[in-house]
Structure formats: C-alpha cells, structure tokens
Amino acid sequence: MRASAAAVAVQPLRPGPATSAASAGNVRISNGLQQFLEMLADVPRARVLDLGSVWQSTISFFVDKGYRISTEDVLRGWKEFLTSEDDRQRAIPSGADSGKLAPQLLMANFLQDALGYPEQNFHGILVWDLLDYFDADLVPPLMERLFQVLHPGGALLALFHSRPVERFHRYRIVDSQTVESLAAPTIAVHAHVFQNREILDLFGKFRSSKTFVGRDQLREALFLR
Amino acid sequence: MWNNSVQSRPSSKADARLAAPLPSHSAMPSASEPASSPAPAAPSSATEPARAPSGAAESAIASNLKIAGEISGNSDLYIDGEVRGKVRMAGARVTVGAKGRIHADMEARELVIHGYVEGSLLATESLHLGASSHVLGTVLTPRIRIDDGAFLRGTVETITPGATSKPVAAIPKTPAIVPVVVAVGNEHEEIIP
C-alpha cells in the first residue's frame, strides 16, 4: 500500500482552545514540544508514540505531517491491567495458591503486552506527566522499556510537576509549540514529585537532556537517546 | 451463515436509529473522557456520522447475534453483535454500534466505531471513532475523526484515498532510519520568561 502524506485530508479539527471557554487558561507554550518536533523534522515518516489518551488534535497534528502516530494510554492500561489481575485473584478458590505477583513482576508483564513494540521503533515518545502517577519503584522498568523502543537519536518528552497536583490532567497538542491541558476524571492519584537529580537518574541511559521550567512550575524534560 | 445471521432493513430506518444518541459502551467505560468537555458542542452535522447516499439497504447484526467467520459484501452494515473473523465490505459503510464487539480485521469504504474492536482497520475513505469506541489495532485511512473519550491503542497511518490494500497487522521491524543530529548539551536548565 502506498502511503502519501500529500494526499492526506484529515477531518477539520473540533473547536480548539481559542474558541473553547472551558479550556481557556489551560494552554501553555511548550519549548519542550517545539524542540521535540525539531528532533523529528528531518525524519521522513517518523514514528511517534503517544502515551497519553487519544485526541483528535494530536492525531491530526502528526498525520498532517505524514508521521505515523501510535497511541498507548499507558496509565489507563496499567489500571485496567491491575483490575483484571484483581479479578483473576478473586476467581481463585480460597485455599488454593493465589499466585499473587509482586508489583514489579506485574509491571513486567504489563510492559510486555502494552509496549511490545519492536526495539528502536519510535523516533519520538510523548510521555507527558504520566511518570508522576506511577509508584516510584515501578518507573525504572517503564523507563527501561521506553529506552528500548526509542530509536538512537530519538527524542522523549516528559513533564514533571514540582508539587503534588490535585487534579488529573490530560494533554494534547494544539500546534507545534502549544500544548493544552485538560482536567480529566482521576484514574490515578499523583504519586511522586521527582527531584531534578531523580529525573536525571531515571534517564541515565539517555545521552543528553534539556529541561524547561515554566511559571506554573511544570517542568518539561526533553531527553535524547 | 451470513444470510442466516443478518437482517436487511431499509437505510431510512437505520438512519433514524443512528441519529439517536448512542448509549455508552457498558463493557468498557471511557475513563479518559474529560470531566468537563474541553470544546463546545459541535453542530449536529459535525457530531453525527455522515451517511453515504447509497440508497442501498443496510444490513444489521443485532446485539444478540454472534458470528464467526468472514463477512463480505457491498451493502452498508450495522453491527451491534459479536463478530470474530474478518469483515470485508470494501465498497460499503460499516458501523459498529455501542454494543458491538468485533475481534476481526475490518475493511470498508467508511468505518464508524462506537463499540469495541480488536483488529486491523482499513477504511478507504474515512474512519470515525465515537466517544464510546474502544479500539485495539492498526488503523489505515486517509481521514480520521476521533471524538473526545474514544480509546485507541494502536497505530494510525494515512493512506491514499481509495486504496484497497489489506491492513497491515504490525509495525515493520526494520524501518528506514534517518539519524537525528543532536546538538544540545548534556544538562541544561532554562527558565521560561
């Protein structure tokens, strides 16, 4: 099948932040996104992995560029995975070996399924602020898997809150330097505020990093493999 | 199997049914749906799936039906039941209702998803993921529309309108790679003014 970026005619977007009173004030200029996209600019038909929820505007943004966009709502997937594991446990008759797995092993099983992409497959990964919502001891295996599926030279963009957040937000791309955050039903509580040193340790295998801190104290971190 | 399992109906009745609000997909709640709608309600012409003026009767698989095997044909199809196998309706519009559960690769001119689909999707004209949709698989289409609250786990790739190739099942393992030149320091912190 011949893919043609020139022939793409994506549906018009739904009304964006400029016309949405509900989302006014949730739009932020993102230097991290801007530089993330610059890293992909010279890659024809780049492959991008979005670990947040699927949004029309984000999909259209990348499709318009001729990129291939994969979505994997990893936090929601993790919660559903845990729920199914709980269901499996409850179905085991009392007295029988429950076979209950340690969280780290559960995470390993989850990653094998949810991020079972070929290694070095993606040129860019959008993590958003999701690492803040995983237990700190479960983040390293997740990071290891993300490192594996990122192509050498590829970029990863993550956001980190500088203080605990009360509301759960989702993020979507508005344009090449603008991100919109949207309040969403809480599917996980904010678990951890990473300090700068912790962040650098997490991304220790990456060869370079750049961090931006906005006035809202949301840190944007761009890492390159 | 096909003739025994589907019910033909005039497209006008199907139009009326589809125009009504679709219930949420009970098996898969859309947890990612924003608490408050981030965008004002679009006009009905933008939120309702566009209907092809085919004039042909639409077939339907009701919610109490299960089909295993390959479904093929050219009339529009509405699926609210369970299908396992393949759905090949190259020239038609296929709608998966909120109760529909599909474990199959699907190919159609136009795909509208409100239910659960696991498989590769090829829509040669357009694909619409409704707010209650839950899709696991690769999507190939020239045009895609995604409502807030939709769940998609997979890859979206665009194709030339009218392409009829089979959907790809997986991401290629040996992609063409162009190295990205990196020109940033090892650590740098910048304060946005």
Side-chain angles (χ1 to χ4, degrees), chain A residues 1 9 11 20 39 45 47 54 56 63 69-72 76 113-114 121 151 153 182 185 207 209 211 213 224, chain B residues 29 33 37-38 143 145-146 150-159 165 171 175 177 180 182 186 188 190 192:
Chain A
M1 180 178 304
Q11 293 279 81
S20 172
M39 294 295 113
R45 296 189 60 72
R47 284 182 297 280
V54 61
Q56 171 79 66
V63 165
I69 173 77
S70 298
T71 67
E72 177 65 54
R76 177 175 171 181
D113 176 51
N121 189 69
H151 188 268
L182 303 148
R207 66 187 169 104
S209 66
T211 307
V213 183
L224 304 174
Chain B
E33 192 170 356
S37 177
R143 297 194 306 158
R145 198 180 110 202
I146 301 169
F151 180 89
L152 169 63
R153 178 181 164 193
T155 300
V156 177
E157 190 169 351
T158 52
I159 58 172
S165 299
I171 299 169
I177 299 299
V180 176
V182 180
N186 190 45
H188 174 73
E190 181 173 326
I192 300 173

Side-chain angles (χ1 to χ4, degrees), chain A residues 76 80 83 87, chain B residues 22-31 33 63 80-82 96-101 114-117 131-134 149:
Chain A
R76 177 175 171 181
E80 290 181 351
T83 300
D87 292 343
Chain B
L22 289 162
S24 298
H25 192 265
S26 57
M28 292 287 176
S30 54
E33 192 170 356
S63 60
D80 220 14
E82 183 174 331
V96 177
K99 295 178 182 175
R101 293 188 66 84
H114 295 289
Y116 179 89
V117 177
S132 59
S133 64
H134 194 112

Side-chain angles (χ1 to χ4, degrees), chain B residues 95-169:
Chain B
T95 302
V96 177
K99 295 178 182 175
R101 293 188 66 84
I102 313 296
H103 297 265
D105 292 343
M106 301 180 75
E107 178 179 346
R109 172 177 54 79
E110 184 180 351
L111 281 170
V112 180
I113 312 294
H114 295 289
Y116 179 89
V117 177
E118 188 174 339
S120 296
L121 306 181
L122 169 62
T124 55
E125 280 192 10
S126 67
L127 182 139
H128 174 198
L129 301 182
S132 59
S133 64
H134 194 112
V135 175
L136 312 177
T138 303
V139 170
L140 286 172
T141 182
R143 297 194 306 158
I144 186 168
R145 198 180 110 202
I146 301 169
D147 292 346
D148 292 354
F151 180 89
L152 169 63
R153 178 181 164 193
T155 300
V156 177
E157 190 169 351
T158 52
I159 58 172
T160 305
T164 56
S165 299
K166 294 179 70 175
V168 294

Side-chain angles (χ1 to χ4, degrees), chain A residues 36-37 48 58-67 69 126 173:
Chain A
F36 173 87
L37 295 171
V48 176
T58 302
I59 294 288
S60 297
F61 179 82
F62 287 112
V63 165
D64 282 347
K65 291 178 177 294
Y67 293 177
I69 173 77
L126 294 167
I173 294 176

